[in-house]
Amino acid sequence: MPKLSKPLAVALAVSAAFTVAAATPAGAAAPAPPSPATAAPAPRISTAFTLPGAKVYPEGIASDSRTGTVYVGSYADGTVYRARPGARTAEVFLPAGADGRHTANGLRVDARGRLWVTDSTTGVAVYDTRTGARLAHFEVPGTGPRFINDLTITPDGTAYLTDSARPVIYRVTPAQLRAGSGALTVAYDLTGHLTPAPPGSFALNGIVSDPAGHYLLAVDMTAGDLHRVDLRTGALGRVALTGGDLKAADGLDLSPDGTLRVAHNLPNTLTRWQLSADGTRARLTRTLTDPSLQIPTTLTHTRGRTLVVRSQFDQGGPMNPTGGTPTTFTVAEVRGL
């Protein structure tokens, strides 16, 4: 498989270093996990399915609620894998490099069964899950810094995407989707709203929307903040967090009942939060830290279980390109989170 491009590998390594510095005192052996929540029966971790390949370094995951099919993207080369219900090994759905795709970071399946895949270097593409045909694509114009990371889709079919290198959230409307291609335009500029961070560090990462389509929640993985965007007024705010923070938070998953699940990559930690009805407050209710999570980047909660990407980014991957040897790449199943 092709190697990670040097600029992207360096960018992630720099981000990881700053995230560790923010979460861990100098000289500490490992980043501290978020504060523990109320004691409860320990969640159970097992392997849901494996991903074929020696250097997959998976990043994104999405589930199709209609079929139970799960899709996983490779940060290393842009391959998108598909795991049908009951499968113990995923299959290649979109080959590496297809349509010029270099990475596959954020993945979502929309209400009509279309698969959205972000490429951190360019933008986002939309695919037919039956045929694999590309239906649309949108790219950030110009040559400036960008790292298109994660996305969410609101009930009206609008997609919102984070940029980890710039303090912006992009938007793709249903009308733009019907047009098939175009520029990825900024919907919300959070310049001056985010907590100042060291140069070169990543900020915005995971993003979700509430079931009614009233607001977005986007995490700042370096500061540990959760930002709220009111889709009716455009107002920006910070969610009041009780019991912990969201440092090193990567992927987010929001259930209809207001349960927010979070993957914290470097600490090998998953957390569960309960949101208030209006999404302005969140209380930590459970924390799970386990090295078997192997640097969890994203997660999806589907059919009573949480599926978590084991990225192994520290084993010869973007967080440690020159050291470590990965084991078989897998997606974890967590029960009780």
Side-chain angles (χ1 to χ4, degrees):
M1 294 183 182
K3 294 183 179 179
L4 292 170
S5 65
K6 184 175 180 180
L8 290 178
V10 170
L12 261 186
V14 169
S15 170
F18 281 123
T19 303
V20 173
T24 310
S35 303
T38 304
R44 303 185 306 277
I45 303 174
S46 59
T47 294
F49 55 86
T50 63
L51 301 167
K55 294 186 177 182
V56 177
Y57 298 112
E59 213 280 349
I61 189 169
S63 55
D64 187 336
S65 61
R66 305 167 312 145
T67 65
T69 300
V70 177
Y71 299 89
V72 180
S74 166
Y75 178 79
D77 60 16
T79 300
V80 175
Y81 300 89
R82 176 176 60 190
R84 301 181 189 273
R88 300 299 298 172
T89 302
E91 61 185 351
V92 173
F93 176 60
L94 301 176
D99 306 312
R101 193 177 56 255
H102 298 288
T103 70
N105 287 35
L107 277 71
R108 295 280 176 176
V109 179
D110 66 21
R112 295 182 59 180
R114 295 168 299 204
L115 177 65
W116 296 64
V117 182
T118 66
D119 181 333
S120 60
T121 67
T122 56
V124 64
V126 185
Y127 294 90
D128 187 321
T129 52
R130 295 170 300 173
T131 66
R134 190 176 72 173
L135 305 174
H137 65 102
F138 303 89
E139 298 185 358
V140 178
T143 58
R146 82 281 306 271
F147 194 99
I148 316 306
N149 204 323
D150 208 351
L151 77 156
T152 188
I153 302 171
T154 53
D156 67 356
T158 302
Y160 294 91
L161 307 91
T162 56
D163 191 322
S164 294
R166 302 174 59 199
V168 300
I169 296 175
Y170 303 101
R171 174 172 54 205
V172 177
T173 67
Q176 291 172 312
L177 181 58
R178 288 192 294 271
S181 64
L184 197 55
T185 56
V186 173
Y188 300 100
D189 190 334
L190 281 69
T191 301
H193 179 74
L194 301 182
T195 300
S201 59
F202 281 3
L204 296 177
N205 198 326
I207 185 170
V208 292
S209 50
D210 73 301
H214 292 161
Y215 59 83
L216 307 173
L217 299 176
V219 69
D220 180 338
M221 67 182 302
T222 298
D225 298 326
L226 185 63
H227 297 275
R228 184 183 185 278
V229 180
D230 192 309
L231 293 174
R232 295 166 292 185
T233 67
L236 304 177
R238 279 189 180 86
V239 176
L241 303 176
T242 301
D245 60 46
L246 294 178
K247 288 178 180 176
D250 200 326
L252 307 179
D253 181 273
L254 180 59
S255 294
D257 65 356
T259 299
L260 178 68
R261 295 174 175 86
V262 183
H264 303 250
N265 51 35
L266 285 166
N268 283 317
T269 293
L270 306 177
T271 56
R272 188 180 74 190
W273 303 73
Q274 186 60 47
L275 283 177
S276 61
D278 61 1
T280 61
R281 303 182 305 280
R283 176 175 55 88
L284 181 65
T285 61
R286 181 163 292 187
T287 299
L288 169 64
T289 299
D290 195 304
S292 72
L293 293 171
Q294 297 178 301
I295 313 295
T297 49
T298 49
L299 72 173
T300 181
H301 188 73
T302 177
R303 303 189 176 191
R305 61 179 184 166
T306 302
L307 300 178
V308 184
V309 172
R310 289 164 161 159
S311 75
Q312 297 192 69
F313 275 4
D314 60 335
Q315 299 298 314
M319 288 182 177
N320 186 21
T322 60
T325 302
T327 61
T328 300
F329 288 96
T330 63
V331 168
E333 175 182 322
V334 182
R335 299 274 184 175
L337 180 67

